[in-house]
Amino acid sequence: MSLKELEQLEVRFSGSGGQGLVLASIIFADVLVAAGYNVIQGESHGIEARGGASRGEIIASKEEITDLAVSEPDIFIAISQKSCDKYYQDIKENALVIIDSFLVTEIPKFKSNNIYLLPFTNKVKEEFDSILPTNIAFLGAMAELSNLVDHQLFIEAIKKRIPTSVIEMNLKAFALGVKMAQAAAKDKE
Amino acid sequence: MSLKELEQLEVRFSGSGGQGLVLASIIFADVLVAAGYNVIQGESHGIEARGGASRGEIIASKEEITDLAVSEPDIFIAISQKSCDKYYQDIKENALVIIDSFLVTEIPKFKSNNIYLLPFTNKVKEEFDSILPTNIAFLGAMAELSNLVDHQLFIEAIKKRIPTSVIEMNLKAFALGVKMAQAAAKDKE
Amino acid sequence: MSKLDKYLRTDQMPHFACPGCTHGTAWAAMIRSIEQLGLDKNKTVMVCAIGCAGRLPVYLDFPSIRTPHGRALSYATGVKLANPDLNVIVFMGDGDASAIGGNHLIHTARRNLDITAIVATNEIYGMTGGQYAPTTEGGRFASTAPFGMIENQLDVCKLVEGAGASFVGRGDVYHVRELKDLIASAITHKGFSLVEVFTTCPTHFGRRNNMKKPSVLVEHLKNLTVSKKQAEKMTEEEVAGKLLRGILLKEERPEYVETYDRLAGFKEEGESV
Amino acid sequence: MSKLDKYLRTDQMPHFACPGCTHGTAWAAMIRSIEQLGLDKNKTVMVCAIGCAGRLPVYLDFPSIRTPHGRALSYATGVKLANPDLNVIVFMGDGDASAIGGNHLIHTARRNLDITAIVATNEIYGMTGGQYAPTTEGGRFASTAPFGMIENQLDVCKLVEGAGASFVGRGDVYHVRELKDLIASAITHKGFSLVEVFTTCPTHFGRRNNMKKPSVLVEHLKNLTVSKKQAEKMTEEEVAGKLLRGILLKEERPEYVETYDRLAGFKEEGESV
Amino acid sequence: MKDKVLMQGNQAVAEGALAAGVKFCAGYPITPSTEVIEILAKKLPSHGGRFIQMEDELASIGAIIGASAAGKKSITATSGPGFSLMQENLGYAAMVEVPIVIYNAQRVGPSTGGATKPHQADIMQTKWGSHGDSPRIALMPGSVKEAYEITIKAFNFSEKYMVPVVILMDELLAHMRESVIIPKKEELEVINRRTDVAPQAEYLPYRMDETGIPVLPPLGGGYRYNISGMIHGENGIPDLSPETIDACVRRINSKLDKYYDDIVIVENEKNESAKIALFVFGSTTRPAKGAIKKAKKAGIEVELIRPITIWPFPEKEVREVAERMDKIIVAEMNLGQTAGLVRQAIEGKAEVVQLNRVDSGHISVDDLYHKILEISS
Amino acid sequence: MKDKVLMQGNQAVAEGALAAGVKFCAGYPITPSTEVIEILAKKLPSHGGRFIQMEDELASIGAIIGASAAGKKSITATSGPGFSLMQENLGYAAMVEVPIVIYNAQRVGPSTGGATKPHQADIMQTKWGSHGDSPRIALMPGSVKEAYEITIKAFNFSEKYMVPVVILMDELLAHMRESVIIPKKEELEVINRRTDVAPQAEYLPYRMDETGIPVLPPLGGGYRYNISGMIHGENGIPDLSPETIDACVRRINSKLDKYYDDIVIVENEKNESAKIALFVFGSTTRPAKGAIKKAKKAGIEVELIRPITIWPFPEKEVREVAERMDKIIVAEMNLGQTAGLVRQAIEGKAEVVQLNRVDSGHISVDDLYHKILEISS
Amino acid sequence: MTKIIIEPNWCKSCGICVDFCPTNVLELDISGKLKVVDANACISCKLCEIRCPDLAIEIEED
Amino acid sequence: MTKIIIEPNWCKSCGICVDFCPTNVLELDISGKLKVVDANACISCKLCEIRCPDLAIEIEED
Ligand SMILES: Cc1ncc(C[n+]2csc(CCOP(=O)(O)OP(=O)(O)O)c2C)c(N)n1
Ligand SMILES: Cc1ncc(C[n+]2csc(CCOP(=O)(O)OP(=O)(O)O)c2C)c(N)n1
Ligand code: SF4
Ligand code: SF4
Ligand code: SF4
Ligand code: SF4
Ligand code: SF4
Ligand code: SF4
Ligand SMILES: [Mg+2]
Ligand SMILES: [Mg+2]
């Protein structure tokens, strides 16, 4: 069943504080709102103000939403080993999983087979000499692989949430993510 | 009926803040405790921290006391016009009333006939060149006129509550009060 | 009746304070400086809290608010930010201002909000019956200092100076003419101004410290302070142990609301950009 | 592992602070001065409150109490009066100590209670995500100062001096060797001692003020302060805008508990008169 | 159609306040409410208002009472520890009848507890945190969208009834983002306090007309009167005569009884066939609806009763429901605060079944559904 | 026979505290409680203790928690406005389980209200004034004599259960003088907190034995552990895992349930022929006895139920009485705070009749007697 | 000549004006009432007026 | 010779030691790991040790 057909879509972004995954989840939530979904988005952090495993979650539906938290993600994204270990277990069987293969070196046994291990941090660092837009590269890959919403909506949402000074870099990172995903998808075929 | 025979004795001292009437009521309460009564003593002041009409009240009984405030005084003492006006009304019909005739010039219509109008403040000022021990002179008169408790208990109570430096003056004031009362009682006969 | 009737809620007079309590003197000096400056009664808000000093403004015919104990300056901050056109005068007791209200005092001073704070220092908690205050002189007796005041005495003027105040003055109710002018200077100062006024509490401070007679206590103040000018002519030993009187500090410093409105780009709703 | 292991709750390490947060540097300097002084761990009580700075002592193997935000010094007062034999050290953030805790700060200073207070000034509320503190420099950005800091900056050292402190010192985490000695002097001082330490918060202060890189922020401190000695050799213009570093004030002043026990005639129960 | 936007709970409160005409905010940072003051710090100046970060929470609430007394709608935002520090001044505002709005984003307690996690355990405190008997209104939105609307309501009630109003949310809702449609300005009802008073010579601040609510023109706006937290008579001046004490205490508290029907807002769709009712509030509203749907599918009818106004407590409404039910499940993220209130309201008319979570996890559809199954079998 | 002395209520509290072994008092003056700190300021040094007047009430309670953590029995005294300021720290003490005693002499409220007159309106605040769910014990003496004894009890409970204890009196009782007989030292039961702990290496401050009460040796007395108002595990170190949050919040609150029977003290002489009960407390105890006597003379039997322990609320005892009565008169100097609690406890088993005075006058024998007549006719 | 105006209802007989009057114009009688005893001696220094805590005495010059 | 001891679990890769080392003994690698790149250059100034906020680097002399 394609993600589009789900009655309720559940998404989890996870990583370490400072990696921008909460912002990524907010941008994706924006995208879903723009696409006409009802959306709720939430975040949670460890006891550490910063640095621990943290996550951003989205529930989207065309109907009224009655849940408050993701229980079984349809999409799972992990940008750090800690967060991957902590949050991978309860994903859905066919969940779309996107992992930073540069930072997550020990891959757990996922329930799903729909897994993409891509070295985002590495590639982004190479391309931009900064790892900051890694989160947006993830969004690019997700836009491509989820095939839920038109890429243009992502681009608009990014523009709205990212400071003008770094928009260009981030849009490029988005494109990079799309490209990486396309390549990987091709590989899979 | 003599005060001694009352099942419950109610006493009200009233005056202005600073006149020492609350202290007088405490000393009298001490006396009653020493004489074997159960006693409760309370005080109340106006909204003004100082200066307004205020009062010290005592309930004494050989039985358990269930009241919290004097409702009909058996003994009523007033050292200022304001307090006399404010508190005279609810005394018992035969109540013993002792009034400072120097400061209380407009005598209200009392329910009782057992009234003593004595110029304490004046006499004390003449005798001691200070009006401070006026409250104790009142106690003297009361000790004499109430005829409830041996004077010696008053003297001991005064010694306990009054700073050593001024005890002598106060004991003299007590004696003065006793004398004034004796003279007045004689007049009445 | 009084020449100052138009500033009084005469129906509330005489005021509640004890005979000889010179909070009243300080308060009268304040009214006279308001008269001298010709402040608009309707636009002059009195903010006070709890305590004998804080109670006096009940008798003043100004818009007035009496806050919980210690909080006057925080309320005054709100009043001033809501309407910067108002004259805001805060009259406080020393305990009120410097003990429970100490934090608001230092931060209002630091922000240099255009408020005038008058602290009536009688070195005691009058209203509650004679406990020591942070301002009580060492060795003085109070109901909670039965062995004499043990703590070091607070110098309210130094405190607010350290906090960054731009106007600091000290007066007393013996030198009451100076006091009126001092308060007037404080009110006209643009920014936070503090005037500490030494007053006297015969009922509690006096009684416990062998100065029961009101005039004796006031006389005592005469020797407690020395004017800044006089002090300059005196030797160090002569000045030692005395408190300076007069304007102790006056600097031009950015005022909070002015800076705020400028930097934050404040504009009334409907104002064009 | 660390040479300082015996002072740490190693099972709790690494501590929670962000990468490059130099609260940790200040805290390590404090441990080293405790080591240098050879204080008895069992008799040295750490009192802290809430905030990033206040959280660090969780990682220290001392008897420790973390109080509600702002209240550390009031709790410390109780600890000290209950048992004057203890060394009581209070480690606080600048917001904790000087904003919400400002009143306790000035009054503990005034009383000259034998406590050492260390205030880690990072000019920001780190724990709550980057709001301005009373200590934030004018013009700096913070989440609640989107137009730049509008309020006048508080000088914590001047404040406690105004309040009557007997030992006041300032250091920073660039000049970290000096800092260790400064803290040691403060701890050995009989009476209240305050050490303000300038630290850095890359996560919030740095990020909002173009100094994201931890070392850049630390470098910035280098130029913010000047030692008292150096300053004496500099012209007024050169010193202007810089903060003095070192022991700024040290006086012998009656300590609270000593005075109390003497004047009030304190005696342990059972002691003969 | 108006645009849907993604909005955070705290943002909805800030935006709602602006829509209600807030002109002053004083605050002290505390998780999880801080975004409210951050947004207002940024936006107030261009909306004719001012923001100040005060030295602590006592000062924050003091400043907003002062500003409101001077005529400006005012708000502060806080969470448990800060709310505790505000209690003396909160009672003061209720006593002097100066309107203020306080936003409390509830976090794990007691004490410092857990700043980043939700509880719903400040409910009793909201009414009883201050000494003495004094009135307040408290409102609990069930979603981000409601947070916006309820914030406007909070200001309206506050201005109308001259009483402090507390907006009670929890960390979950405070930090949750949701797609919402912001109503147009014209669609909003915004109420401002009355200022129609007699001329100064006749004016007495606490003399009542038939509304029983004082009219207090801005301090410094031309009227000279005294505001005092002491027991006061009609003229605002302290007066401790027994009659004045009695009158003062009773009147300020009876205001809310008098306007109960306007103030008390409850979501309650009657379900004639239900014998079980679910009493929930705040962020649990959503899961409750999910659970009721789920139960219906399983053939169990459950009625929802959801107070939006929690103070004054909707005694009448709850009692009416209890009269039709066998059992009421009271689900809350605390140890049973409103369960006690429900019990008090219904005096044995139905059985109260508690569902309490205090581990900081939210009460989920499944938690509720299982409880329903458990008690209906 | 021991000597009777005349003693004021506040004095009884101070003397009771000394008899209980108090070693530290920090306070801030406030009418009508100030005599307590004045007496302790004078007497503590010669009893091996210290007094300090702090800068405010926040500091006062902070200092006594600090001193108690360092092993010394500690007290503060206050009244409504000060009690409101103490709420954050009071919740802290309950959270970290450091024993303290707070004396609150209730005065007319809300807000500054009336300092020199009595109310009994801080009862709900005593339990609910702080954010979150946290435990406390509150005791209400009915006479000066009891004030002395109950103060000792307060320290005993506090030390035994590691929980803050509030002594709730009112201005009337605080300032009333009464003839009392002071018990001899040998007759008093004085309890000190446990200090029997494992060696440092094995010691965890919040690891429970079967008592469910932590053993916290004095800070600086040889044990190195952390006390924290954040949610903490057995080691006292902050931990926000759901399991720890749940365990921490539930355990600190369940202590009082566990020891309910020891803690809850109620005066209740059963009267089999009574159909009316009188529920009163504090200074109303005396008049209640007078009224019951008077009613008996008029042929009406009335049973007295008088909580000395008001928190935890004596639900069981009140329910037992309600089961035998038609009506319970709840008389209090507030707008009905305990009437609500009684209603909650008895769930409709008897009719609750309120008698409230808030004019600062006490509830007299006649007030009560008339109410009895009224409802029995 | 100066007029010395006393508001008897406001005066609390504290004696401050009496004690600070440089020319002994004022006195408190036995019952505590404030009296002008030597109006001619008054030099209009107004010390009484400005030091009175109760606004109870005023000097009017013409 | 000095021994440079790094506690990798405590180091947070903040770079402070790297940037203040006067002789460039230290470096952070791409993945953020702190490395000793020129141990011989170390002059035992201990700036790294005392400025490290995390007690993660120590210099041992013998
Ligand atoms: C929160 C609170 N704490 C304590 C009090 C009691 N109280 C009323 S006034 C006062 C202090 C009075 O001293 P000060 O401020 O010096 O004024 P003074 O009476 O001396 O003029 C105190 C402690 C109170 N009303 N509120
Ligand atoms: C009563 C109360 N108010 C607010 C807070 C929220 N809070 C926690 S720490 C903190 C300030 C942190 O700043 P600072 O003291 O400078 O320490 P830093 O984190 O910068 O080291 C605040 C406001 C709280 N915990 N309690
Ligand atoms: S108690 Fe002292 S301060 Fe208060 S009115 Fe009397 S004299 Fe003045
Ligand atoms: S937020 Fe700032 S102060 Fe707090 S740990 Fe991080 S860097 Fe340090
Ligand atoms: S100073 Fe004023 S109050 Fe005192 S005696 Fe003179 S007139 Fe009367
Ligand atoms: S004006 Fe001067 S001289 Fe005249 S009565 Fe007053 S004090 Fe005396
Ligand atoms: S300073 Fe410390 S934490 Fe930072 S990189 Fe160096 S060793 Fe690591
Ligand atoms: S001791 Fe000095 S030289 Fe050696 S690594 Fe550290 S900072 Fe570099
Ligand atoms: Mg004072
Ligand atoms: Mg800080």
Side-chain angles (χ1 to χ4, degrees), chain B residues 50, chain C residues 16-23 52 122 124 126-127 200-204:
Chain B
R50 290 142 291 274
Chain C
F16 87 109
C18 304
C21 171
T22 56
H23 276 344
C52 297
N122 58 3
I124 202 92
M127 179 60 92
T200 61
C201 168
T203 304
H204 296 298

PDB file of all heavy atoms in Angstrom, chain B residues 50, chain C residues 16-23 52 122 124 126-127 200-204, ligand 3:
ATOM      1  N   ARG B  50      -2.324  51.400  66.170  1.00  0.00           N
ATOM      2  CA  ARG B  50      -2.224  52.041  67.472  1.00  0.00           C
ATOM      3  C   ARG B  50      -3.230  53.183  67.517  1.00  0.00           C
ATOM      4  O   ARG B  50      -3.598  53.739  66.502  1.00  0.00           O
ATOM      5  CB  ARG B  50      -0.839  52.637  67.640  1.00  0.00           C
ATOM      6  CG  ARG B  50       0.259  51.621  67.803  1.00  0.00           C
ATOM      7  CD  ARG B  50       1.491  52.050  67.079  1.00  0.00           C
ATOM      8  NE  ARG B  50       1.271  52.005  65.639  1.00  0.00           N
ATOM      9  CZ  ARG B  50       1.431  50.914  64.905  1.00  0.00           C
ATOM     10  NH1 ARG B  50       1.842  49.813  65.456  1.00  0.00           N
ATOM     11  NH2 ARG B  50       1.216  50.925  63.606  1.00  0.00           N
TER      12      ARG B  50
ATOM     13  N   PHE C  16      -3.384  57.506  60.203  1.00  0.00           N
ATOM     14  CA  PHE C  16      -3.387  56.470  61.247  1.00  0.00           C
ATOM     15  C   PHE C  16      -2.112  56.436  62.098  1.00  0.00           C
ATOM     16  O   PHE C  16      -2.079  55.757  63.122  1.00  0.00           O
ATOM     17  CB  PHE C  16      -3.534  55.094  60.579  1.00  0.00           C
ATOM     18  CG  PHE C  16      -2.210  54.528  60.172  1.00  0.00           C
ATOM     19  CD1 PHE C  16      -1.657  53.440  60.844  1.00  0.00           C
ATOM     20  CD2 PHE C  16      -1.470  55.119  59.161  1.00  0.00           C
ATOM     21  CE1 PHE C  16      -0.408  52.951  60.493  1.00  0.00           C
ATOM     22  CE2 PHE C  16      -0.231  54.637  58.814  1.00  0.00           C
ATOM     23  CZ  PHE C  16       0.303  53.554  59.470  1.00  0.00           C
ATOM     24  N   ALA C  17      -1.046  57.116  61.662  1.00  0.00           N
ATOM     25  CA  ALA C  17       0.255  56.846  62.284  1.00  0.00           C
ATOM     26  C   ALA C  17       0.287  57.276  63.751  1.00  0.00           C
ATOM     27  O   ALA C  17      -0.488  58.118  64.202  1.00  0.00           O
ATOM     28  CB  ALA C  17       1.371  57.534  61.499  1.00  0.00           C
ATOM     29  N   CYS C  18       1.206  56.703  64.499  1.00  0.00           N
ATOM     30  CA  CYS C  18       1.337  56.996  65.924  1.00  0.00           C
ATOM     31  C   CYS C  18       1.722  58.463  66.126  1.00  0.00           C
ATOM     32  O   CYS C  18       2.340  59.075  65.262  1.00  0.00           O
ATOM     33  CB  CYS C  18       2.455  56.169  66.554  1.00  0.00           C
ATOM     34  SG  CYS C  18       2.315  54.412  66.346  1.00  0.00           S
ATOM     35  N   PRO C  19       1.445  58.987  67.301  1.00  0.00           N
ATOM     36  CA  PRO C  19       1.926  60.327  67.639  1.00  0.00           C
ATOM     37  C   PRO C  19       3.447  60.384  67.500  1.00  0.00           C
ATOM     38  O   PRO C  19       4.151  59.527  68.022  1.00  0.00           O
ATOM     39  CB  PRO C  19       1.516  60.488  69.109  1.00  0.00           C
ATOM     40  CG  PRO C  19       0.396  59.526  69.311  1.00  0.00           C
ATOM     41  CD  PRO C  19       0.649  58.387  68.379  1.00  0.00           C
ATOM     42  N   GLY C  20       3.907  61.354  66.764  1.00  0.00           N
ATOM     43  CA  GLY C  20       5.349  61.541  66.658  1.00  0.00           C
ATOM     44  C   GLY C  20       6.042  60.688  65.634  1.00  0.00           C
ATOM     45  O   GLY C  20       7.260  60.716  65.496  1.00  0.00           O
ATOM     46  N   CYS C  21       5.284  59.914  64.880  1.00  0.00           N
ATOM     47  CA  CYS C  21       5.863  59.098  63.806  1.00  0.00           C
ATOM     48  C   CYS C  21       6.217  60.021  62.655  1.00  0.00           C
ATOM     49  O   CYS C  21       5.333  60.607  62.040  1.00  0.00           O
ATOM     50  CB  CYS C  21       4.853  58.070  63.327  1.00  0.00           C
ATOM     51  SG  CYS C  21       5.421  57.204  61.839  1.00  0.00           S
ATOM     52  N   THR C  22       7.488  60.138  62.343  1.00  0.00           N
ATOM     53  CA  THR C  22       7.866  61.117  61.326  1.00  0.00           C
ATOM     54  C   THR C  22       7.837  60.581  59.895  1.00  0.00           C
ATOM     55  O   THR C  22       8.282  61.266  58.986  1.00  0.00           O
ATOM     56  CB  THR C  22       9.246  61.728  61.627  1.00  0.00           C
ATOM     57  OG1 THR C  22      10.187  60.663  61.745  1.00  0.00           O
ATOM     58  CG2 THR C  22       9.194  62.554  62.891  1.00  0.00           C
ATOM     59  N   HIS C  23       7.319  59.384  59.706  1.00  0.00           N
ATOM     60  CA  HIS C  23       6.934  59.011  58.344  1.00  0.00           C
ATOM     61  C   HIS C  23       6.065  60.136  57.787  1.00  0.00           C
ATOM     62  O   HIS C  23       6.166  60.493  56.619  1.00  0.00           O
ATOM     63  CB  HIS C  23       6.106  57.726  58.345  1.00  0.00           C
ATOM     64  CG  HIS C  23       6.921  56.473  58.374  1.00  0.00           C
ATOM     65  ND1 HIS C  23       8.250  56.418  58.092  1.00  0.00           N
ATOM     66  CD2 HIS C  23       6.542  55.184  58.630  1.00  0.00           C
ATOM     67  CE1 HIS C  23       8.684  55.154  58.182  1.00  0.00           C
ATOM     68  NE2 HIS C  23       7.658  54.395  58.508  1.00  0.00           N
ATOM     69  N   CYS C  52       3.800  50.779  57.721  1.00  0.00           N
ATOM     70  CA  CYS C  52       3.311  52.103  58.123  1.00  0.00           C
ATOM     71  C   CYS C  52       3.638  53.116  57.033  1.00  0.00           C
ATOM     72  O   CYS C  52       2.785  53.906  56.622  1.00  0.00           O
ATOM     73  CB  CYS C  52       3.932  52.511  59.450  1.00  0.00           C
ATOM     74  SG  CYS C  52       3.485  51.412  60.809  1.00  0.00           S
ATOM     75  N   ASN C 122      13.293  53.905  58.902  1.00  0.00           N
ATOM     76  CA  ASN C 122      13.176  54.124  60.342  1.00  0.00           C
ATOM     77  C   ASN C 122      13.905  53.031  61.110  1.00  0.00           C
ATOM     78  O   ASN C 122      13.765  52.914  62.323  1.00  0.00           O
ATOM     79  CB  ASN C 122      11.703  54.245  60.770  1.00  0.00           C
ATOM     80  CG  ASN C 122      10.898  53.014  60.391  1.00  0.00           C
ATOM     81  OD1 ASN C 122      11.445  52.038  59.862  1.00  0.00           O
ATOM     82  ND2 ASN C 122       9.605  53.035  60.656  1.00  0.00           N
ATOM     83  N   ILE C 124      13.475  49.953  61.361  1.00  0.00           N
ATOM     84  CA  ILE C 124      12.646  49.009  62.124  1.00  0.00           C
ATOM     85  C   ILE C 124      11.448  48.617  61.267  1.00  0.00           C
ATOM     86  O   ILE C 124      11.135  49.297  60.292  1.00  0.00           O
ATOM     87  CB  ILE C 124      12.172  49.658  63.451  1.00  0.00           C
ATOM     88  CG1 ILE C 124      11.795  48.613  64.510  1.00  0.00           C
ATOM     89  CG2 ILE C 124      10.986  50.604  63.222  1.00  0.00           C
ATOM     90  CD1 ILE C 124      12.906  48.238  65.408  1.00  0.00           C
ATOM     91  N   GLY C 126       7.944  48.874  61.597  1.00  0.00           N
ATOM     92  CA  GLY C 126       6.979  49.516  62.469  1.00  0.00           C
ATOM     93  C   GLY C 126       5.665  48.749  62.527  1.00  0.00           C
ATOM     94  O   GLY C 126       5.193  48.360  63.597  1.00  0.00           O
ATOM     95  N   MET C 127       5.105  48.496  61.367  1.00  0.00           N
ATOM     96  CA  MET C 127       3.752  47.946  61.288  1.00  0.00           C
ATOM     97  C   MET C 127       3.590  46.640  62.050  1.00  0.00           C
ATOM     98  O   MET C 127       2.543  46.390  62.649  1.00  0.00           O
ATOM     99  CB  MET C 127       3.389  47.750  59.813  1.00  0.00           C
ATOM    100  CG  MET C 127       2.017  47.167  59.558  1.00  0.00           C
ATOM    101  SD  MET C 127       0.686  48.191  60.219  1.00  0.00           S
ATOM    102  CE  MET C 127       0.303  49.215  58.808  1.00  0.00           C
ATOM    103  N   THR C 200      11.606  58.389  61.803  1.00  0.00           N
ATOM    104  CA  THR C 200      11.704  57.847  63.162  1.00  0.00           C
ATOM    105  C   THR C 200      10.416  57.154  63.584  1.00  0.00           C
ATOM    106  O   THR C 200       9.322  57.585  63.248  1.00  0.00           O
ATOM    107  CB  THR C 200      11.987  58.974  64.175  1.00  0.00           C
ATOM    108  OG1 THR C 200      10.900  59.909  64.123  1.00  0.00           O
ATOM    109  CG2 THR C 200      13.285  59.691  63.865  1.00  0.00           C
ATOM    110  N   CYS C 201      10.580  56.082  64.332  1.00  0.00           N
ATOM    111  CA  CYS C 201       9.461  55.319  64.882  1.00  0.00           C
ATOM    112  C   CYS C 201       9.573  55.345  66.396  1.00  0.00           C
ATOM    113  O   CYS C 201      10.294  54.531  66.978  1.00  0.00           O
ATOM    114  CB  CYS C 201       9.522  53.876  64.369  1.00  0.00           C
ATOM    115  SG  CYS C 201       8.406  52.735  65.220  1.00  0.00           S
ATOM    116  N   PRO C 202       8.920  56.308  67.025  1.00  0.00           N
ATOM    117  CA  PRO C 202       9.020  56.347  68.492  1.00  0.00           C
ATOM    118  C   PRO C 202       8.430  55.104  69.144  1.00  0.00           C
ATOM    119  O   PRO C 202       8.946  54.612  70.147  1.00  0.00           O
ATOM    120  CB  PRO C 202       8.236  57.607  68.864  1.00  0.00           C
ATOM    121  CG  PRO C 202       7.419  57.960  67.681  1.00  0.00           C
ATOM    122  CD  PRO C 202       8.113  57.404  66.485  1.00  0.00           C
ATOM    123  N   THR C 203       7.346  54.602  68.555  1.00  0.00           N
ATOM    124  CA  THR C 203       6.619  53.506  69.189  1.00  0.00           C
ATOM    125  C   THR C 203       7.470  52.250  69.362  1.00  0.00           C
ATOM    126  O   THR C 203       7.433  51.612  70.401  1.00  0.00           O
ATOM    127  CB  THR C 203       5.353  53.186  68.366  1.00  0.00           C
ATOM    128  OG1 THR C 203       4.595  54.385  68.253  1.00  0.00           O
ATOM    129  CG2 THR C 203       4.518  52.106  69.016  1.00  0.00           C
ATOM    130  N   HIS C 204       8.217  51.910  68.340  1.00  0.00           N
ATOM    131  CA  HIS C 204       8.974  50.661  68.452  1.00  0.00           C
ATOM    132  C   HIS C 204      10.478  50.871  68.527  1.00  0.00           C
ATOM    133  O   HIS C 204      11.130  50.372  69.427  1.00  0.00           O
ATOM    134  CB  HIS C 204       8.612  49.718  67.309  1.00  0.00           C
ATOM    135  CG  HIS C 204       7.202  49.286  67.359  1.00  0.00           C
ATOM    136  ND1 HIS C 204       6.681  48.567  68.407  1.00  0.00           N
ATOM    137  CD2 HIS C 204       6.164  49.511  66.526  1.00  0.00           C
ATOM    138  CE1 HIS C 204       5.396  48.345  68.213  1.00  0.00           C
ATOM    139  NE2 HIS C 204       5.046  48.915  67.071  1.00  0.00           N
TER     140      HIS C 204
HETATM  141  S1  SF4 I   3       4.658  51.932  64.614  1.00  0.00           S
HETATM  142 FE1  SF4 I   3       6.396  53.296  64.243  1.00  0.00          FE
HETATM  143  S2  SF4 I   3       6.452  53.510  62.018  1.00  0.00           S
HETATM  144 FE2  SF4 I   3       4.438  52.703  62.528  1.00  0.00          FE
HETATM  145  S3  SF4 I   3       3.103  54.486  62.717  1.00  0.00           S
HETATM  146 FE3  SF4 I   3       3.881  54.017  64.764  1.00  0.00          FE
HETATM  147  S4  SF4 I   3       5.702  55.259  64.979  1.00  0.00           S
HETATM  148 FE4  SF4 I   3       5.229  55.189  62.811  1.00  0.00          FE
END
